[in-house]
C-alpha cells in the first residue's frame, strides 16, 4: 500500500478535511501522515480475504420510528450558541453574488 | 478527612441515614475542588455555587420525603467535558467549543441527576478525547495527584485526577480506546467501560461513534456498579442503544470467584511491558487463583494489529463526526475570512489543536476515494478478526485479565513529541473497544516510584457481571490506597 505523501497529497487531503495548513504546518502534516501510513501498513501483513468488514459489534437492526415531532420549538435556545444570527436564522458569509 | 475521601456509596448511605446533609456534602466537594485545583487542573468548569446549593436543598427534601432512595442521592459528581450539560459550558477541551453552552443534557448525566446526584463541575481531558495523557487540552494539562510532575493518563484524565485527589465522589468518563481505563490505572482509581450500546451516547460529543461508551470513574468497584445501574438504559435517542432490561450489577459483587475461568493472554506479556507492571498483574492472577478461580495462559493472537486498526477507524469516524464544527451553528468562528469556504477552513484551523487536526487528516485520507478499501475497509476487516479472536477466547473463559497500560504514569511533556509511541501505549485497551467488550481497570499495586499499577479485567459482551464479580473479589484482597492529594493534607487550608 505504498502511498506517496507529497505536498500535492497533503493539499488534497486538507481540502477534504476543510483545514488550512500554513507554512511549516504543511510539512509537519506530511511527515506525520507518512509516519502514520507507514505504521498502519502493518495491517497489510494480515490475510483478510473473505472477511466481511465489521461495523457494528452488537447485532442491532435498523431502528425505525414514526416521523413525528417530539421536541418543542427550541429555536431561541439553539440560536443562543450561534456565532452570528439574524431574524431567527444562522447567519453565514455571502455565498454568491 | 474529607467527605470526598468516602466512596460514593458510603457517602450516599450517610446522607440517607441523615448523619450527613446534602448541603454539607456538596459544600465540602466545592471546598476540595477550590483547594486542589491549582495542583491538579482537573476541572475546566466548576459548577456555580448558588445553583449547586439550591439543587442540594431540593435533593435533601426529596431524600427526607422518601422520594429519592437510590445509593447516589445527594452525592456530588463530575462530568467529563465532552458530555452536554444543560446550561453549563461544554468545551470538549477545545478552543472551537470554548463558548458552547448546551440547552440539553446527555442522557447519562440526566439519569444521574434524576437519581439525586449533583453536578459539581466539568472535567478536563484531551481535546475531543484524542490523546492518552490529558495534555492536548486547550485549558492546559491535568496533573496526576500521585505525582504532579506526571500525567494522569487520558483522555478522561480530569475525571480520574478529580476522583483520585478526592475533589469529587465519582465522575463520568468516556472510553473510545481506553480513555476511562488507562487514566484510572495511572491515577489509582477504578474505571469501567461498559459493553457497547449499554449506556446511551446521546449528548456525548462524538469522536468515534462505533467505539465509544460512557462509564464511571470511581473510588472502587462497588461505586462503579452503583453508577452503572443508574446510567445503563435503552434510549431511543441513540440508535445504537441496546435494550438490556433492568440493569442488575450490584448483586454480582459477592466476592465468590470459585470456579471462575480466567484467561491470561500470553501475548500481552512481552518485553514492551514494564517488569513491575508485569509482576503486579501476574500476582493479581495468583491471588484470584488462591481464592478458587481457575487461571491459565492462552494465545489471544492479533494483539499487535489492534492499535493500527483502531487508529484508522477512530480517525475516519472523527474526520466525519468533527465536520460539524464549521463556525455556523455553535462555537468559535474565525474573525478574518473571505467567503464561506475560507470561513470554514480558518475556523477549523484556528479552532482545533494539533492532535485533532492530525487525526482529521488521517481519517479524511483513509476515507478518500481510492484508499477507502485499502485503509478503512482493511481496518474493519481486521476488527472482524479481532472480534472472532475474543469470541473464541470467551468460549473458554469467563474473564480475561491483563495489564491496562505497558507502563505507569509518565512525566508531563514526554509523550506528545512521538505520537506513534503514544498510540502504542493503548495496546491493551483498544481491543475492548473494537470488540465492544466491557472492561474494568482497578489498582493492583504500586511501582518503585510509588505510582499506581492498574489491572484490567475484560468480559464478553453483556457479561459485565463476571467482570464486576472478579474485580470485586480481587479488590477485597487489597487495602484501598489514597493519593497524597486525597489524604486531606491539602484540604485543611
Amino acid at each position: 500500500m505504498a502511498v506517496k505523501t507529497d505536498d500535492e497529497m497533503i493539499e488534497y487531503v486538507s481540502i477534504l478535511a476543510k483545514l488550512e495548513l500554513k507554512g511549516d504546518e504543511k510539512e509537519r502534516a506530511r511527515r506525520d501522515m507518512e509516519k502514520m501510513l507507514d505504521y498502519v501498513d502493518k495491517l497489510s501483513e494480515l490475510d483478510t480475504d473473505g472477511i466481511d468488514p465489521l461495523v457494528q459489534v452488537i447485532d442491532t437492526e435498523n431502528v425505525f420510528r414514526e416521523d413525528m415531532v417530539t421536541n418543542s420549538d427550541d429555536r431561541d435556545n439553539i440560536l443562543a450558541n450561534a456565532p452570528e444570527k439574524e431574524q431567527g436564522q444562522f447567519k453565514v458569509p455571502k455565498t454568491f453574488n | 478527612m474529607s467527605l470526598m475521601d468516602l466512596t460514593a456509596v458510603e457517602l450516599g448511605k450517610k446522607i440517607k441515614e441523615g448523619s450527613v446533609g446534602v448541603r454539607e456534602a456538596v459544600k465540602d466537594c466545592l471546598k476540595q475542588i477550590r483547594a486542589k485545583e491549582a495542583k491538579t487542573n482537573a476541572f475546566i468548569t466548576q459548577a456555580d455555587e448558588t445553583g449547586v446549593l439550591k439543587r442540594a436543598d431540593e435533593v435533601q427534601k426529596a431524600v427526607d420525603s422518601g422520594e429519592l432512595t437510590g445509593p447516589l442521592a445527594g452525592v456530588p459528581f463530575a462530568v467529563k467535558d465532552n458530555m452536554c450539560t444543560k446550561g453549563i459550558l461544554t468545551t470538549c477541551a477545545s478552543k472551537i467549543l470554548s463558548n458552547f453552552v448546551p440547552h440539553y443534557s446527555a442522557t447519562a448525566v440526566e439519569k444521574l441527576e434524576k437519581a439525586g446526584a449533583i453536578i459539581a463541575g466539568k472535567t478536563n481531558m484531551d481535546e475531543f478525547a484524542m490523546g492518552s495523557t490529558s495534555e492536548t487540552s486547550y485549558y492546559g494539562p491535568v496533573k496526576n495527584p500521585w505525582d504532579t510532575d506526571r500525567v494522569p493518563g487520558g483522555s478522561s484524565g480530569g475525571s480520574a485526577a478529580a476522583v483520585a485527589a478526592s475533589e469529587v465522589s465519582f465522575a463520568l468518563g468516556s472510553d473510545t480506546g481506553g480513555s476511562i481505563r488507562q487514566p484510572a490505572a495511572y491515577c489509582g482509581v477504578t474505571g469501567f467501560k461498559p459493553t457497547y450500546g449499554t449506556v446511551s451516547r446521546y449528548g456525548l460529543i462524538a469522536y468515534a461513534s462505533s467505539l465509544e461508551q460512557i462509564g464511571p470513574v470511581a473510588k472502587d468497584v462497588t461505586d462503579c456498579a452503583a453508577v452503572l445501574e443508574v446510567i445503563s438504559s435503552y434510549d431511543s435517542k441513540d440508535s445504537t442503544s441496546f435494550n438490556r432490561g433492568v440493569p442488575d450489577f450490584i448483586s454480582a459483587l459477592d466476592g465468590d470467584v470459585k470456579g471462575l475461568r480466567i484467561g491470561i493472554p500470553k501475548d500481552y506479556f512481552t518485553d514492551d511491558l514494564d517488569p513491575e507492571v508485569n509482576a503486579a498483574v501476574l500476582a493479581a492472577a495468583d491471588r484470584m487463583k488462591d481464592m478458587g478461580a481457575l487461571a491459565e495462559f492462552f494465545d489471544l493472537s492479533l494483539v499487535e494489529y489492534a492499535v493500527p486498526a483502531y487508529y484508522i477507524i477512530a480517525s475516519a469516524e472523527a474526520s466525519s463526526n468533527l465536520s460539524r464544527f464549521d463556525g455556523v451553528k455553535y462555537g468559535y468562528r474565525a474573525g478574518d475570512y473571505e467567503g464561506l469556504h475560507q470561513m470554514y477552513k480558518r475556523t477549523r484551523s484556528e479552532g482545533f489543536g494539533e492532535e485533532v487536526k492530525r487525526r482529521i487528516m488521517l481519517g479524511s485520507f483513509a476515507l478518500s476515494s481510492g484508499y477507502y478499501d485499502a485503509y478503512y475497509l482493511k481496518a474493519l476487516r481486521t476488527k472482524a478478526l479481532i472480534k472472532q479472536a475474543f469470541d473464541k477466547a470467551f468460549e473458554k473463559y469467563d474473564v480475561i485479565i491483563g495489564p491496562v497500560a505497558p507502563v505507569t504514569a509518565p512525566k508531563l511533556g514526554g509523550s506528545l513529541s512521538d505520537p506513534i509511541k503514544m498510540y502504542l501505549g493503548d495496546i491493551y485497551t483498544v481491543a475492548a473497544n473494537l470488540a465492544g467488550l466491557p472492561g474494568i481497570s482497578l489498582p493492583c499495586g504500586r511501582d518503585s516510584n510509588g505510582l499506581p499499577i492498574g489491572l484490567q479485567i475484560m468480559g464478553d459482551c453483556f457479561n459485565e457481571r463476571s467482570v464486576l464479580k472478579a474485580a470485586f473479589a480481587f479488590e477485597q484482597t487489597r487495602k484501598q490506597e489514597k493519593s497524597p492529594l486525597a489524604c486531606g493534607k491539602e484540604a485543611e487550608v
Side-chain angles (χ1 to χ4, degrees), chain B residues 87-397:
Chain B
I88 305 174
L89 188 70
T90 298
T91 69
C92 250
S94 181
K95 181 180 176 184
I96 212 160
L97 281 178
S98 53
N99 55 4
F100 175 59
V101 181
H103 69 283
Y104 67 100
S105 288
T107 300
V109 172
E110 219 168 48
K111 289 252 158 204
L112 281 167
E113 289 198 283
K114 261 194 200 132
I118 297 171
I119 300 176
K122 302 293 294 288
T123 52
N124 205 347
M125 53 186 276
D126 281 296
E127 185 183 1
F128 280 100
M130 298 178 191
S132 315
T133 64
S134 297
E135 291 173 294
T136 69
S137 169
Y138 179 60
Y139 300 89
V142 182
K143 323 256 175 70
N144 191 317
W146 289 83
D147 176 351
T148 51
D149 289 332
R150 292 176 186 272
V151 305
S155 67
S156 308
S159 289
V163 174
S166 291
E167 294 180 67
V168 280
S169 298
F170 72 93
L172 286 183
S174 67
D175 192 313
T176 311
S179 283
I180 286 175
R181 290 161 287 155
Q182 183 255 31
Y186 283 2
C187 291
V189 294
T190 306
F192 198 102
K193 175 218 168 282
T195 304
Y196 187 77
T198 300
V199 179
S200 168
R201 290 183 296 105
Y202 179 73
L204 171 68
I205 297 171
Y207 156 26
S209 313
S210 77
L211 304 170
E212 53 209 9
Q213 272 289 284
I214 292 170
V217 178
K219 291 180 193 286
D220 66 3
V221 178
T222 305
D223 279 8
C224 281
V227 175
L228 269 178
E229 279 197 7
V230 174
I231 62 176
S232 304
S233 73
Y234 174 70
D235 184 5
S236 59
K237 294 190 192 123
D238 171 2
S239 59
T240 60
S241 168
F242 197 86
N243 196 343
R244 299 180 60 178
V246 180
D248 175 17
F249 299 126
I250 296 172
S251 69
L253 312 179
D254 57 9
D256 179 13
V257 288
K258 263 194 207 77
L260 189 82
R261 298 166 305 165
I262 299 175
I264 312 166
K266 213 186 296 166
D267 23 10
Y268 278 3
F269 297 84
T270 65
D271 289 347
D272 294 328
L273 180 63
D274 179 276
E276 290 186 282
V277 177
N278 186 326
V281 170
L282 293 181
D286 284 341
R287 287 271 181 93
M288 289 162 87
K289 264 200 211 163
D290 294 343
M291 287 185 284
L294 312 164
E296 65 177 23
F297 284 102
F298 76 106
D299 283 312
L300 177 62
S301 82
L302 300 170
V303 173
E304 70 270 38
Y305 299 103
V307 174
Y310 169 81
Y311 275 93
I312 293 176
I313 295 168
S315 300
E317 293 186 24
S319 74
S320 168
N321 273 324
L322 271 61
S323 62
R324 72 193 62 185
F325 302 104
D326 57 4
V328 172
K329 302 173 291 298
Y330 31 61
Y332 173 78
R333 178 186 285 191
D336 180 32
Y337 52 81
E338 271 175 50
L340 185 67
H341 283 276
Q342 205 181 50
M343 189 280 281
Y344 289 152
K345 282 185 160 192
R346 292 236 163 123
T347 294
R348 291 164 61 78
S349 303
E350 293 167 18
F352 291 135
E354 200 174 336
E355 182 62 29
V356 174
K357 286 192 238 184
R358 190 181 282 142
R359 294 193 197 187
I360 291 176
M361 288 288 285
L362 178 67
S364 301
F365 173 75
L367 292 177
S368 68
S369 166
Y371 297 103
Y372 179 86
D373 281 15
Y375 289 93
Y376 183 61
L377 289 186
K378 181 78 184 181
L380 290 182
R381 290 191 167 97
T382 306
K383 181 186 176 186
L385 290 175
I386 289 169
K387 174 78 177 153
Q388 284 172 15
F390 277 103
D391 285 348
K392 209 173 118 203
F394 285 119
E395 282 171 12
K396 280 178 79 180
Y397 306 112

Side-chain angles (χ1 to χ4, degrees), chain A residues 1 3 13 17-18 20 25 28 32 39 42-43 45-46 48 51 54-55 57 81 83-84 91 95, chain B residues 101 304-305 307-308 327-328 330 333 346 348-349 354 357-358 361 374-375 378 380-381 383 424 434:
Chain A
M1 276 190 285
V3 179
V13 176
K18 284 257 180 296
E20 184 179 75
E25 260 189 326
R28 255 205 327 267
D32 285 346
Y39 169 60
K42 186 162 182 56
L43 296 186
E45 298 167 13
L46 270 182
T48 52
I51 305 291
L54 177 67
V55 179
V57 279
N81 276 301
E84 273 194 78
K91 190 177 176 189
T95 51
Chain B
V101 181
E304 70 270 38
Y305 299 103
V307 174
V328 172
Y330 31 61
R333 178 186 285 191
R346 292 236 163 123
R348 291 164 61 78
S349 303
E354 200 174 336
K357 286 192 238 184
R358 190 181 282 142
M361 288 288 285
Y375 289 93
K378 181 78 184 181
L380 290 182
R381 290 191 167 97
K383 181 186 176 186
L424 281 171
L434 291 170

Side-chain angles (χ1 to χ4, degrees), chain A residues 69-79, chain B residues 103:
Chain A
V69 176
T70 52
N71 53 328
S72 53
D73 179 8
D74 270 343
R75 181 182 290 249
D76 291 344
N77 285 328
I78 290 165
L79 282 170
Chain B
H103 69 283

